[in-house]
Amino acid sequence: MTPPDELAAFGYRQELRRSLGGFSAFAAGFSFVSILTTVFQLFGFGYTFGGPLFFWTWPVVLAGQVLVALVFAELAARYPLAGSVYQWAKQLTRGFLGWLAGWMMLLGCVVALAAAAIALQVVLPSVWDGFQLVGGDSSVTSPTGAANAVLLGTLLLVFTTAVNAGGVRLMARINDVGVAAELLGVLVLIAGLALFAVRGPQVVLHDAPGTSAGIGGVLASALMAAYVLYGFDTAASVAEETKDARRAAPRAVLRAVLVSGIGGLAVVVTALMAAPSLTDGQLAGKGLPYVITAVFGDTLGRVFLADVAIAVVVCTLTIQTGTIRLIYAMARDGALPASARLSGVSPRTGTPVAPALLSGALAIGLLLLNVGNPTLFSTITGTSVVVVYLAYLLVTGPLLVKRLRGGFPAEPGRFSLGRWGVALNGAAVLYGIGMIVNIAWPRAEIYDLAGSGSPWMLLFPIEFVGGALVIGRLCWLRLRPAPALEPALSERTP
């Protein structure tokens, strides 16, 4: 079946330009995860609350996300459509719940977009203090550091919005080059840190001398790994622009999570091995930039941190790309307000321009609401994890129910979990529930670093999800019934 015929079977026309190869699809998922961006962003946080033991949250989260990725790979082979999570949930669940997965994923992507953009604050002031435009302390937990993060993040979002509006070819070229640079940077980083290690890998077996993280601290530190290892589904979100998507998309999803997870795990353990000190407060306060400059020296360290800054730019670009495809996919189904405008594709660039502008504006607005907030990083990242993991659960949960009822048989020639489907799918559901509860738990370590004791701060992710559900329900009542959301479509499997 040719790509246009595939889309026609789902009731769509081929409007996006199918020009991406397998590497570009993988690059979309890998750069959304972006080891250098996210590990650099939250390494200090993880170490602060978990000490060396926070390493063990990484393999646990990686194993859980591989389970989710296996389920998603199977769905990507059956439904090679733009919008990934939204499209999959819509095929599995009738009515509001199917739509809700797309809605929650959309909000999660906007929050993740803002979170990625402010990661520049972790890197650029360490490269050159002139990047601290606001003045004062550049620490991400200080009011001046948080304000500068908003300024740098806003400038970055203006750039990525312009690139995404310019067309998929421009985006893909920047993304491919950026991912190649990031992969090379990760390899150099791991090798360099291992070469200059001052302690062995057994460092991850014990607390740092004179410290005791405790189970509560280790659980809180899981935010780092949970935040790093999501977004791999973006490799399938560009399916309508990928050649031979039924084969390429599942492979790209799995490669994205495996390469990111294994590479990130290696970065974490080698950083702990190479850090000059585990107890002087520098590792918790300054994170990986401190280790990089200490190990590689000031000049080479700054060069490497510049490569990290490139990774942050590409990560932000790709998160916005996935957000744009999700908005476009929902809008062409009439599933969003102003759908007629949001579903338009520019005949010149072959790109949905209105979703690009909207996603950029929403992310910038979210940053401006948090100017000077010292809990900016942990609050936004924690909330993005809860919302995105909930969207994932709205896919893995209904699919498990469908499997148990015998309604999801394996299809010859397509990626399938076969007889292991129920067990792996069930484990993915349990993992998702456990991680949502852990990260949403109202702990001051994540949501109230200033120690205000405000219940509004402690319950922020729960409040965000509650507000999202209320607004989502109101939108649904106003929008339904949209033709593409009718129950008949959920039964189609071309």
Side-chain angles (χ1 to χ4, degrees):
M1 186 181 289
T2 62
D5 291 334
E6 285 185 343
L7 292 185
F10 289 101
Y12 299 125
R13 292 184 296 110
Q14 181 72 52
E15 295 183 290
L16 302 176
R17 294 176 181 173
R18 197 175 290 274
S19 59
L20 302 182
F23 179 80
S24 293
F26 156 76
F30 177 81
S31 55
F32 191 120
V33 176
S34 187
I35 302 170
L36 291 185
T37 298
T38 48
V39 173
F40 269 75
Q41 188 175 1
L42 285 181
F43 185 95
F45 174 91
Y47 190 82
T48 296
F49 297 106
L53 294 178
F54 94 94
F55 164 84
W56 294 104
T57 65
W58 195 277
V60 171
V61 171
L62 174 57
Q65 291 298 69
V66 167
L67 292 171
V68 176
L70 286 168
V71 173
F72 284 3
E74 193 172 27
L75 291 168
R78 294 199 184 203
Y79 310 115
L81 301 168
S84 59
V85 167
Y86 163 69
Q87 293 287 1
W88 302 334
K90 187 183 71 177
Q91 306 295 332
L92 299 170
T93 311
R94 300 182 179 187
F96 177 65
L97 283 180
W99 177 87
L100 182 63
W103 174 250
M104 297 305 292
M105 190 67 193
L106 176 56
L107 296 178
C109 281
V110 170
V111 178
L113 180 58
I118 57 178
L120 281 179
Q121 181 64 24
V122 181
V123 181
L124 287 185
S126 297
V127 175
W128 177 48
D129 56 13
F131 285 115
Q132 183 63 31
L133 303 174
V134 173
D137 188 356
S138 64
S139 171
V140 297
T141 56
S142 69
T144 54
N148 199 69
V150 170
L151 178 56
L152 293 177
T154 298
L155 294 174
L156 175 55
L157 287 167
V158 170
F159 169 76
T160 59
T161 299
V163 171
N164 271 303
V168 68
R169 284 186 179 274
L170 176 61
M171 180 281 298
R173 287 172 183 168
I174 295 175
N175 194 34
D176 289 353
V177 172
V179 167
E182 180 168 2
L183 287 170
L184 178 61
V186 169
L187 292 175
V188 171
L189 175 61
I190 293 170
L193 292 176
L195 181 64
F196 292 100
V198 295
R199 61 187 65 84
Q202 67 272 17
V203 64
V204 302
L205 299 177
H206 310 284
D207 279 323
T211 66
S212 179
I215 186 65
V218 173
L219 287 174
S221 72
L223 171 61
M224 175 197 173
Y227 173 66
V228 173
L229 292 175
Y230 75 75
F232 47 83
D233 58 286
T234 306
S237 197
V238 293
E240 290 181 30
E241 296 153 278
T242 303
K243 302 171 185 175
D244 194 16
R246 286 193 185 275
R247 291 183 180 274
R251 295 173 182 174
V253 168
L254 292 173
R255 286 171 182 166
V257 70
L258 286 171
V259 172
S260 299
I262 295 171
L265 186 148
V267 169
V268 170
V269 69
T270 52
L272 291 171
M273 292 166 58
S277 172
L278 300 178
T279 57
D280 64 359
Q282 295 286 341
L283 195 56
K286 296 182 178 179
L288 276 184
Y290 154 71
V291 180
I292 297 302
T293 53
V295 170
F296 293 101
D298 189 63
T299 301
L300 287 179
R302 290 173 189 266
V303 171
F304 188 85
L305 289 175
D307 183 55
V308 177
I310 293 173
V312 173
V313 172
V314 174
C315 174
T316 306
L317 176 67
T318 306
I319 292 176
Q320 189 172 23
T321 300
T323 308
I324 291 167
R325 271 50 183 180
L326 179 56
I327 294 173
Y328 166 76
M330 296 184 72
R332 70 178 174 184
D333 283 355
L336 289 175
S339 286
R341 182 177 296 274
L342 293 173
S343 61
V345 176
S346 168
R348 184 176 64 85
T349 64
T351 301
V353 175
L357 298 175
L358 176 63
S359 59
L362 290 175
I364 291 172
L366 182 60
L367 291 183
L368 294 177
L369 287 174
N370 288 275
V371 171
N373 178 9
T375 61
L376 172 71
F377 278 75
S378 57
T379 297
I380 288 183
T381 53
T383 302
S384 71
V385 169
V386 172
V387 176
V388 172
Y389 275 50
L390 180 58
Y392 284 1
L393 189 61
L394 288 170
V395 174
T396 57
L399 179 56
L400 178 60
V401 172
K402 198 161 190 172
R403 288 186 197 276
L404 292 173
R405 293 175 177 175
F408 200 77
E411 295 184 348
R414 296 178 185 172
F415 180 87
S416 173
L417 300 181
R419 61 180 181 176
W420 294 98
V422 171
L424 294 174
N425 196 161
V429 169
L430 292 176
Y431 163 76
I433 293 172
M435 192 56 65
I436 289 171
V437 171
N438 178 41
I439 302 302
W441 199 264
R443 52 168 66 90
E445 293 95 331
I446 297 178
Y447 302 109
D448 190 18
L449 293 175
S452 68
S454 168
W456 298 107
M457 293 299 299
L458 292 173
L459 297 173
F460 184 83
I462 299 174
E463 295 159 2
F464 188 95
V465 170
L469 289 172
V470 171
I471 296 173
R473 185 62 181 176
L474 293 175
C475 287
W476 168 258
L477 292 174
R478 178 182 177 186
L479 293 168
R480 69 171 185 161
L485 296 175
E486 287 298 308
L489 184 59
S490 67
E491 302 300 329
R492 299 180 192 173
T493 308

